[in-house]
């Protein structure tokens, strides 16, 4: 069991900034959240907390939102168990259901079964939905696939279920690597899972790259993605807010990518590029 800090973030205005704040806090070690009427509660292992890193996040330096916070140390409890209690299924277009083993099965839907653990952030629900929604219209048959920032590897698993060939899943977080291995086995698919970042990519080429991360990492890593993307290959991005799209597309166009489709859910966007 880990010692955790509980942060109370007061946000003005709450929308759309609570979801944006959660997405960015995940990048500095926060791993679960509870939404409140005037903000959110966020939880992080005490040993991982870096106040300077948190304060340097984009959302804390944006004049359009005001964020105040306080925190306290939490008692030693089983946080995986608490995390599971707050994990709800994701239904995409009444076609795909992402659920845990303790949720009721829905045989009429295509199901992806995951054990959420600490590698799944509730702030990622809209972006996960967007990625799956776009993937439903893509051809994965025998394609080589890379899932960057894989988390639970739900996207890599879905790609394999759609007929993908060799599929690589990479995440910087040790929790995610362990969780991805368990989830791949749970869904009966074979993934090549590794801990690392885009810097660890070698010369192997891919037909499809999936990256549900965040604006800053995507802008930094798009040149690397392009370098390992086959000619005619596809890059599917999410983790973006609507106001990030222009900056992302500028980088994409600079590196020879063409926008094929974009979709929005709440304040979040996904972009399919070729």
């Amino acid at each position: 069991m880990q010692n955790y800090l509980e942060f109370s973030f007061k946000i003005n205005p709450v929308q759309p900034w609570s979801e944006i704040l959660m997405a960015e806090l995940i990048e500095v070690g926060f791993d679960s959240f509870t939404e409140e009427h005037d903000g959110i509660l966020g939880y992080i292992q005490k040993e991982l907390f870096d106040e300077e890193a948190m304060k340097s996040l984009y959302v804390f330096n944006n004049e359009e939102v005001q964020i105040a916070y306080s925190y306290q140390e939490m008692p030693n409890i089983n946080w995986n168990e608490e995390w599971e209690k707050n994990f709800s299924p994701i239904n995409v277009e009444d076609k795909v259901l992402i659920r845990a083993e303790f949720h009721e099965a829905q045989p009429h839907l295509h199901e992806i079964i995951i054990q959420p653990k600490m590698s799944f952030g509730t702030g990622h629900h809209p972006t996960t939905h967007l990625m799956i929604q776009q993937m439903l219209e893509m051809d994965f048959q025998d394609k080589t696939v890379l899932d960057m920032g894989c988390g639970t590897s739900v996207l890599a698993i879905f790609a394999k279920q759609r007929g993908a060939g060799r599929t690589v899943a990479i995440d910087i977080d040790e929790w995610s690597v362990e969780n991805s291995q368990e989830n791949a086995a749970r869904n009966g698919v074979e993934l090549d899972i590794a801990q690392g970042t885009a810097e660890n990519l070698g010369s192997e080429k891919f037909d499809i790259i999936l990256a549900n991360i965040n604006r800053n990492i995507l802008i930094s890593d798009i040149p690397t993605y392009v370098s390992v993307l086959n000619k005619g290959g596809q890059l599917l991005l999410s983790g973006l807010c609507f106001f990030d799209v222009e900056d992302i597309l500028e980088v994409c166009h600079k590196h020879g990518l063409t926008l094929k489709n974009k979709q929005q859910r709440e304040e979040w966007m996904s972009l399919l590029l070729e």
Side-chain angles (χ1 to χ4, degrees), residues 4-24:
Y4 266 73
L5 300 176
E6 178 188 68
F7 279 72
S8 175
F9 295 96
K10 305 300 181 185
I11 308 168
N12 184 26
V14 174
Q15 297 300 336
W17 296 100
S18 62
E19 284 281 354
I20 297 168
L21 177 60
M22 284 190 282
E24 294 204 349

Side-chain angles (χ1 to χ4, degrees), residues 18-245:
S18 62
E19 284 281 354
I20 297 168
L21 177 60
M22 284 190 282
E24 294 204 349
L25 288 172
I26 287 170
E27 301 304 321
V28 293
F30 284 76
D31 53 39
S32 57
F33 305 97
T34 299
E35 297 188 54
E36 299 196 312
H37 73 281
D38 59 350
I40 61 173
L41 298 178
Y43 300 89
I44 185 173
Q45 292 181 32
K46 184 178 180 180
E47 63 182 24
L48 297 181
F49 177 56
D50 182 337
E51 192 160 20
E52 286 188 16
M54 185 181 76
K55 286 183 175 180
S56 70
L57 293 172
Y58 165 80
V59 69
F60 280 95
N61 297 282
N62 190 306
E63 295 180 355
E64 296 180 23
V65 59
Q66 295 180 326
I67 301 174
Y69 67 88
S70 59
Y71 64 91
Q72 62 179 340
E73 188 164 351
M74 298 297 290
N76 242 344
I77 61 176
N78 188 329
W79 285 96
N80 267 341
E81 184 178 325
E82 294 299 308
W83 184 235
E84 289 178 3
K85 289 178 184 176
N86 293 309
F87 173 70
S88 57
I90 305 168
N91 184 319
V92 182
E93 303 287 299
D94 280 329
K95 295 177 181 177
V96 179
L97 184 73
I98 305 167
R99 68 173 180 89
E101 290 177 324
F102 49 81
H103 294 132
E104 183 178 353
Q106 297 189 36
H108 64 288
L109 299 178
H110 178 104
E111 293 192 330
I112 305 170
I113 301 173
I114 65 170
Q115 182 72 13
K117 285 199 169 178
M118 294 296 191
S119 56
F120 194 94
T122 56
H124 280 187
H125 283 202
T127 57
T128 303
H129 186 289
L130 284 167
M131 294 290 282
I132 295 289
Q133 190 175 355
Q134 293 254 38
M135 290 172 71
L136 281 166
E137 305 301 321
M138 296 167 64
D139 177 16
F140 283 88
Q141 192 63 44
D142 299 322
K143 301 291 178 67
T144 53
V145 176
L146 169 64
D147 182 3
M148 283 300 305
C150 61
T152 59
S153 278
V154 64
L155 302 180
I157 290 167
F158 188 48
K160 288 293 289 187
Q161 292 173 335
R162 297 287 311 284
R166 172 170 159 80
T167 300
V168 177
I170 297 177
D171 200 287
I172 195 171
D173 181 25
E174 185 178 351
W175 273 103
S176 293
V177 172
E178 179 184 330
N179 195 205
S180 292
Q181 292 166 340
E182 295 171 351
N183 289 331
R186 185 170 283 109
N187 288 273
V189 301
E190 183 177 338
L191 303 178
D192 293 289
I193 304 164
Q195 185 174 358
T197 67
E199 294 180 357
N200 300 105
L201 294 175
S203 58
E204 181 179 1
K205 299 280 188 176
F206 298 92
D207 298 314
I208 297 174
I209 298 176
L210 311 169
N212 182 15
I213 309 181
N214 69 32
R215 172 190 182 278
N216 293 337
I217 293 177
L218 290 176
I219 286 177
S220 173
D221 289 350
I222 282 170
T224 304
Y225 299 157
V226 172
S227 74
V228 296
L229 191 63
N230 280 327
K231 186 176 181 180
Q234 295 177 303
L235 174 62
L236 180 58
L237 306 176
S238 194
L240 307 167
C241 290
F242 62 90
F243 49 74
D244 295 324
V245 171

